Amino acid sequence: MSTANTYTEQELVQGLQNHDQQIFGYLYDHYSPALYGVVLKVLNDETAASDVLQEVFLKIWRSMDKYDTEKGRLFTWMLNIARNTAIDALRSKAHKLDQKIQELSNDVYAHTSQLTVHPSVDHLGLAKVIEKLNKEQRTIIDLAYYKGCTQEEIARVLDIPLGTVKTRMRNAIIQLRNILKQI
Amino acid sequence: MDVQRYISSGLIESYVVGLATDQEARELETAMAQSPEVKAAVGAAQLDMERYVQFFSIAPPESVKERIFQRLTTDGAESIVPAGGATDEAYSYPEEEVVKEKRMVGAVWQYIAAAAIIGLIASIYFNYNYRNTINEWENKYQALLFDQEKMVAQQGVHQTKMQEAEQMLERLRQSDLKMVRMYTASKTRPGLLATVYMIPRSEDAYLTVSNLPEPPADQQYQLWGIVNNKPVDAGVFDMGDATKGFQKVKYVPGAQLYAVTLEKKGGSPTPTLTAMYVAGRVGG
């Protein structure tokens, strides 16, 4: 997060496990844009995304005692809850594969139109990532992460052999890493 | 365990974006527990992904926080139900505005996309037609080219035949031409006729067959010139060319007689006299 934390991760976890609403408010203020970004990109529908975001934070609040610091960072854990909840909602809407792809290409425009409205977005970083990550690399990451596509579905969409999906994904992430180093 | 294999296989990256199958995830989690190196690689990929995801951060509608905290206070141990439209009406107005604006933007893009798709379809259609037309012309052109080649070849054949005929006529007009008519040699085979034209000046001889039965497949007619009662081979001939026109045969100098016998394919060194079909005397 760009803003300086006034709580350490340990204090946050402890506060949340003690059901401290003030700390939960702080958590919401700091992490909701990132989690909402994920949910919105999955569902591509602001109303549905708002409902799912609410559900995500309630899940975080309720299952805080299940969170294990050993297994990973708090943000990773919250992201997983957000992604899984949103993808479940997406599946219940029974989106077809081509619809998911359509949404992926649409939402880039949706975001660029909103960039001016939401100062929390890292414009420059996003622009650089979109510019430097080629279309196939971005598609392979987005289909997997935001649309919960299987390896088979990705192989079909990108018209590549099933056996190469994982290596393509590796190349995409490596490229992403190189871009991130430059930002 | 081969750590490098895990790292280069792409499984780690696939795991981080949620693409790994359950089995693959279990396998990797086992590897992570055993190898700090694998664990570090997973952690690094996870960080990359998290940074990527954060680029798409967007502030949620303000009403959401309010709704969550309302739920917190009324929340016991109830099951989690996604809150639908059961929110305070006052908060939904600004949200509506944003939604409308987004829908407008969406609609514009829909029109642009629709126009682009129509354009693409039209383009595909015209390309398809154009290609078909080109293919059609290409085929026609090839057919014409083929016909033309065939005609050139035929013309060559005709020209050669013409030249042969002209040469033949030229020779026939020469004064020293001798015509040797060969008639039936055996009473059992009546009405046969073949003719040898001899041109002593150029020592050329031509044969034409007016009537000879078609020989069996394993046999051929053989022409003989008989000089002082000794038969001299003048070559075998097939029915085709000799019956249709004039076939060049061997000129036998000083022949008094010409005869045709039926021999085995390829000819015989001496004639089979019982199989003599036609014979004729060379005139003075």
Side-chain angles (χ1 to χ4, degrees):
Chain A
M1 295 289 92
S2 49
T3 40
N5 277 3
T6 49
Y7 295 100
T8 64
E9 189 161 314
Q10 207 192 344
E11 284 168 340
L12 267 180
V13 173
Q14 229 159 33
L16 291 168
Q17 283 175 345
N18 292 332
H19 296 101
D20 183 333
Q21 286 205 8
Q22 197 192 330
I23 287 194
F24 188 60
Y26 172 88
L27 185 85
Y28 181 88
D29 291 343
H30 282 259
Y31 293 99
S32 66
L35 301 190
Y36 184 63
V38 170
V39 171
L40 186 60
K41 221 158 140 56
V42 171
L43 292 167
N44 212 38
D45 173 340
E46 286 195 352
T47 312
S50 300
D51 289 345
V52 169
L53 184 69
Q54 182 183 339
E55 197 186 335
V56 167
F57 272 95
L58 289 173
K59 273 187 185 176
I60 291 170
W61 175 253
R62 285 166 186 153
S63 45
M64 203 53 220
D65 43 351
K66 284 185 206 147
Y67 168 68
D68 181 0
T69 349
E70 292 296 306
K71 282 194 172 170
R73 284 169 302 112
L74 180 64
F75 183 52
T76 311
W77 181 72
M78 292 195 302
L79 270 183
N80 284 341
I81 292 178
R83 174 179 177 261
N84 293 341
T85 311
I87 286 176
D88 283 348
L90 181 73
R91 288 202 180 122
S92 71
K93 286 205 307 190
H95 274 52
K96 295 232 165 60
L97 182 57
D98 50 350
Q99 207 172 339
K100 292 179 187 172
I101 299 153
Q102 186 57 41
E103 285 175 2
L104 268 187
S105 39
N106 280 345
D107 81 336
V108 173
Y109 302 117
H111 277 285
T112 44
S113 69
Q114 291 199 334
L115 288 181
T116 47
V117 192
H118 297 278
S120 59
V121 176
D122 178 356
H123 300 73
L124 263 174
L126 177 61
K128 263 192 185 151
V129 167
I130 289 180
E131 180 197 5
K132 294 198 176 163
L133 208 56
N134 76 37
K135 182 107 172 49
E136 193 201 89
Q137 290 168 332
R138 214 166 71 229
T139 305
I140 200 170
I141 293 174
D142 288 357
L143 279 178
Y145 190 82
Y146 290 114
K147 301 299 171 183
C149 285
T150 62
Q151 297 180 24
E152 286 81 7
E153 286 172 325
I154 286 173
R156 207 170 345 127
V157 172
L158 298 181
D159 195 21
I160 56 174
L162 181 59
T164 65
V165 172
K166 284 207 285 283
T167 48
R168 297 279 181 110
M169 184 62 81
R170 173 170 161 77
N171 293 338
I173 300 282
I174 287 171
Q175 175 67 15
L176 174 64
R177 183 170 302 169
N178 291 336
I179 296 165
L180 292 174
K181 273 181 200 156
Q182 293 164 24
I183 295 172
Chain B
M1 184 193 46
D2 187 352
V3 171
Q4 200 50 47
R5 189 176 67 82
Y6 275 106
I7 288 170
S8 62
S9 69
L11 177 56
I12 288 170
E13 289 77 10
S14 295
Y15 173 77
V16 163
V17 296
L19 189 67
T21 62
D22 289 347
Q23 197 196 333
E24 286 170 339
R26 274 196 301 275
E27 191 189 336
L28 186 65
E29 277 157 9
T30 312
M32 279 162 71
Q34 289 170 355
S35 159
E37 208 178 329
V38 172
K39 195 177 178 185
V42 173
Q46 215 147 39
L47 266 181
D48 292 333
M49 209 41 220
E50 285 171 15
R51 281 192 65 192
Y52 175 68
V53 163
Q54 285 184 64
F55 285 126
F56 300 97
S57 295
I58 280 191
E62 298 210 344
S63 62
V64 177
K65 189 178 180 184
E66 207 77 29
R67 271 151 55 186
I68 291 170
F69 276 84
Q70 269 181 3
R71 290 286 298 276
L72 285 191
T73 47
T74 57
D75 197 28
E78 305 154 23
S79 60
I80 299 160
V81 183
T87 45
D88 198 341
E89 288 294 319
Y91 289 106
S92 55
Y93 287 111
E95 204 183 331
E96 280 283 289
E97 291 286 292
V98 175
V99 170
K100 255 186 212 157
E101 200 180 328
K102 203 188 163 191
R103 281 205 188 118
M104 289 269 289
V105 173
V108 170
W109 278 107
Q110 272 170 7
Y111 283 123
I112 292 171
I117 288 165
I118 290 166
L120 184 66
I121 290 169
S123 164
I124 289 169
Y125 173 77
F126 283 117
N127 269 320
Y128 178 76
N129 268 2
Y130 182 62
R131 255 184 84 146
N132 274 357
T133 313
I134 285 194
N135 278 346
E136 202 182 312
W137 286 113
E138 176 79 22
N139 286 342
K140 282 185 177 165
Y141 172 73
Q142 289 295 345
L144 277 175
L145 212 61
F146 178 75
D147 283 351
Q148 203 235 350
E149 277 167 8
K150 206 165 81 181
M151 272 167 72
V152 167
Q154 276 175 348
Q155 204 203 359
V157 171
H158 289 143
Q159 214 155 31
T160 312
K161 277 191 179 166
M162 245 325 233
Q163 276 171 1
E164 278 173 2
E166 274 171 5
Q167 277 174 9
M168 196 63 210
L169 276 173
E170 185 58 34
R171 285 182 187 126
L172 290 178
R173 276 176 34 215
Q174 286 165 9
S175 56
D176 62 344
L177 177 90
K178 285 179 189 173
M179 189 170 75
V180 183
R181 283 196 178 277
M182 297 180 290
Y183 300 99
T184 300
S186 158
K187 284 196 176 91
T188 55
R189 295 182 281 259
L192 304 181
L193 176 65
T195 310
V196 173
Y197 298 89
M198 298 178 72
I199 305 164
R201 194 198 297 167
S202 60
E203 298 206 325
D204 280 326
Y206 295 89
L207 170 76
T208 187
V209 173
S210 303
N211 182 24
L212 275 178
E214 192 70 33
D218 57 337
Q219 287 183 303
Q220 261 183 321
Y221 286 115
Q222 191 167 2
L223 181 70
W224 308 88
I226 289 127
V227 187
N228 302 326
N229 286 329
K230 285 205 174 109
V232 177
D233 172 37
V236 293
F237 61 90
D238 288 318
M239 289 298 284
D241 288 339
T243 44
K244 277 178 200 148
F246 296 91
Q247 190 183 8
K248 198 166 166 45
V249 290
K250 207 185 282 175
Y251 178 84
V252 181
Q256 289 106 28
L257 283 165
Y258 266 101
V260 172
T261 59
L262 186 62
E263 305 290 343
K264 65 180 191 310
K265 205 153 191 144
S268 306
T270 54
T272 311
L273 293 175
T274 50
M276 185 182 287
Y277 275 65
V278 290
R281 185 169 296 278
V282 179

